[in-house]
Amino acid sequence: MGTLSGGRDRYVDFLRAWAIVLVVFGHWLITGLVRDPNGTISAPELLATVHWTQWLTLGFQIMPLFFLAGGHAAGGSWARARNEGRTAAGWVGQRALRLLLPAGVYSGLVLLAVAVCSAVGVDPGILALVGWAMAMQFWFLPVYLLLSAATPLLHAAHRRWGLRVPVVMGAVALVADALVVGLHAPVVGLLNYVLVWGVAYQLGFCWRDMLIAERSGLPACMAVGGALAFGALVTFGPFPVSLILVTGQSPSNTNPPSAAMLAWVVGQVGVALVVAPVLRRVLERERLWRVARPLGGVSMTLYLWHMLPVLVVAAGFYLTGIAPEPGYGSGGWWVLRVPWVVVLGVLLVGVVGVLGPLERGLSAVYEWTRPGDLPRRPWALGLGLVSSVSALVWFAGHGFAYGGRFPVVPAVGLVVGVGLVMVTGRSSVGRGVRLTSV
């Protein structure tokens, strides 16, 4: 097994930050607002309205890199924990809480706003639209949470079978997708959320342990093979070119992840490994790294909160009629995408700054409540993960105000889930020592 170098750590952090930045930029680019004659704001779906824009998703569907980097980091973290004799339950609890605390606070604040707006009589249609916009990125959270929880098992399989694990996962994903497309079995397709994205996650293990050497021919074969397979599936198969969900499009490449998405995952991972030596040398420059490094520290904040500036702009510029509105998708509309993105970027920087104290508070809460190496209530950890994942799946599919109503059941489920994960670590002996030392 190989060891990590500082350069590789930087490149992994860069991949994670780059993936988040492009996701944010992509969401902003395809989100267009229209002020209707009656004064209300709507958001026509650009990919469904201007069909050629579906090709743009080839540049912005970069989440395979996030799962690749996540698998690389998680593999190293679990390997160290395992060598130190720490338990799988304690490690999983800590990883889950790091994800659930910021997601829970974000959800709680959005749900509070939904409750207030509903109580004062905000139009249910507008509330549903806003609730969807604030949850559009949530599909990632339950998938990543499940893969994190399964890391000890996935890593054990990796240690025994190596590259054969992602190959088998990919083969099973292809069978599942064939059943979805051929027999219209959508329930089977749910497996592919874990299998397809799990291939990238598992390849992160292989990358870290040098089972895929960057300077060998394998990454180039993956890049070329993935690109050719994607092109063939889109050209001759039933799959669309869009790598983001488009309403009414069937089959979809993302809902559930398709064979074409699997090809894209393999190809993109291959490209990332091919260019790794060059980019690693670039990232060794301290001046450049000082610019890139902070993005990694706020990546979760950027991912969760990046649609809030859109609501601010909608209220400040579109409801008031100040914003110019050329024809949707016209040349003038695309020119105005530049100031649109710049304004949203400035606002997001402000949001991150305002949330600074909250982030520091969450870090303190995490230290108080994170599970120790021997969680006090392992059953609570399991139930908490099930409850949290279920709630996050619901929000990802329906938004925070489905039908213009407050979602009581999933809101309670998320509160209970996060609470159960937190109580597994309360009052542990190790934590008392740590807090005293602080």
Side-chain angles (χ1 to χ4, degrees), residues 4 34 42 49-50 53 77 91 94 117 120 255 282 324 373:
L4 293 176
V34 173
S42 61
T49 306
V50 185
T53 59
S77 174
W91 185 87
Q94 291 172 14
C117 291
V120 300
N255 187 31
V282 172
D373 294 335

Side-chain angles (χ1 to χ4, degrees), residues 267-299:
Q268 194 170 100
V269 169
V271 171
L273 300 189
V274 167
V275 302
V278 174
L279 288 181
R280 189 171 293 114
R281 287 195 296 271
V282 172
L283 292 169
E284 288 174 358
R285 302 172 183 172
E286 290 300 325
R287 184 175 299 178
L288 177 62
W289 181 240
R290 283 197 296 270
V291 175
R293 184 178 182 178
L295 290 175
V298 296
S299 59

